[in-house]
Amino acid sequence: MDGMKTIRIAIVAALAAGAAVLALALQPGSAATAPAGSIVVQGSGSVTTVPDRGAFSFGVVTRAKTAAAAMGANGDAMQNVVAALKQAGIAAADLQTTQISLDVNVADNGGAVTGYTATSTVTAQLRDLSAAGKVVDAAVGAGADSVSGPSLSKGDTDALYAEALKDAVADARAKAQTLAAAAGLALGRVTAVSEGGGQPVPIFSPAAKPVGAPNVEPGTQEIDATVTVTFSTS
């Protein structure tokens, strides 16, 4: 803003954030001693899938002479955006306010307050990526000043991760059989197994095109799993 600078005064920070789950995996070369009469190996597995869900964030910025006026106008503008998103097919449970903030604008010399800027953001979860264009157009048409996303994901991640775990165990068994044969041992039963964890890894997930042609190409994701398995030997 010409002739002015902006000082941020926080009134409400981000209201919600997705929880991140961290898993610790035993890496090759880690110090691990196999019990007597056993072989300890690490196995890995992965499943490639196409994301079928995505999240977009829509922002609204309003300016006014007073803080109350800026916040009031911002609230009204965001209500219009939320209403448009619902009209476009987004369920209320898939809409989440992720930011509300207020800036006080003062002159360059730090003197008189010249006005206030209010900002709010809502995130919409799309369960059908083919509706991305309709949803983005609806939000922008209702007054959204900014659009970001998509953040892509797969709806049935748990089932796919279970498949990756099975592949990881099979990989561990194959490695153990090779090691046992090389050492002249007979591979026995599994005596212990631990999960290393895995996270969806995007292979190619381009963002939406500019407004006017907001199509989404989902690309693919790899869901990885790692296990450490102990086999008895004889």
Side-chain angles (χ1 to χ4, degrees):
M1 184 178 295
D2 293 339
M4 290 181 286
K5 61 183 179 180
T6 300
I7 300 175
R8 169 59 56 87
I9 57 174
I11 60 168
V12 183
L15 299 180
V21 179
L22 302 180
L24 180 62
L26 178 64
Q27 299 297 321
S30 297
T33 303
S38 64
I39 293 177
V40 179
V41 294
Q42 186 181 69
S44 60
S46 65
V47 176
T48 300
T49 186
V50 177
D52 56 7
R53 298 183 182 183
F56 283 90
S57 292
F58 303 100
V60 172
V61 178
T62 54
R63 298 176 178 85
K65 290 294 185 180
T66 67
M71 291 299 295
N74 190 267
D76 292 341
M78 181 52 77
Q79 283 185 2
N80 292 336
V81 172
V82 169
L85 289 170
K86 291 180 178 179
Q87 186 65 32
I90 304 299
D94 291 330
L95 292 171
Q96 185 178 64
T97 299
T98 52
Q99 180 192 14
I100 300 176
S101 63
L102 180 68
D103 295 340
V104 56
N105 306 319
V106 299
D108 283 338
N109 60 11
V113 173
T114 59
Y116 295 83
T117 300
T119 304
S120 60
T121 304
V122 64
T123 298
Q125 298 287 341
L126 279 70
R127 298 181 183 274
D128 179 6
L129 289 179
S130 67
K134 175 184 176 181
V135 170
V136 172
D137 285 345
V140 172
D145 299 312
S146 64
V147 180
S148 63
S151 175
L152 299 173
S153 61
K154 180 69 175 177
D156 57 348
T157 301
D158 289 345
L160 294 171
Y161 181 61
E163 291 184 27
L165 278 175
K166 292 178 182 178
D167 290 344
V169 172
D171 180 55
R173 181 174 293 278
K175 290 178 179 177
Q177 289 172 337
T178 299
L179 289 171
L185 300 172
L187 191 67
R189 65 184 182 88
V190 173
T191 59
V193 59
S194 62
E195 177 188 5
Q199 294 284 333
V201 178
I203 304 301
F204 178 64
S205 301
K209 298 178 182 179
V211 174
N215 298 318
V216 175
E217 300 297 335
T220 58
Q221 288 181 332
E222 276 191 3
I223 298 175
D224 299 321
T226 303
V227 295
T228 300
V229 186
T230 302
F231 295 87
S232 63
T233 60
S234 59

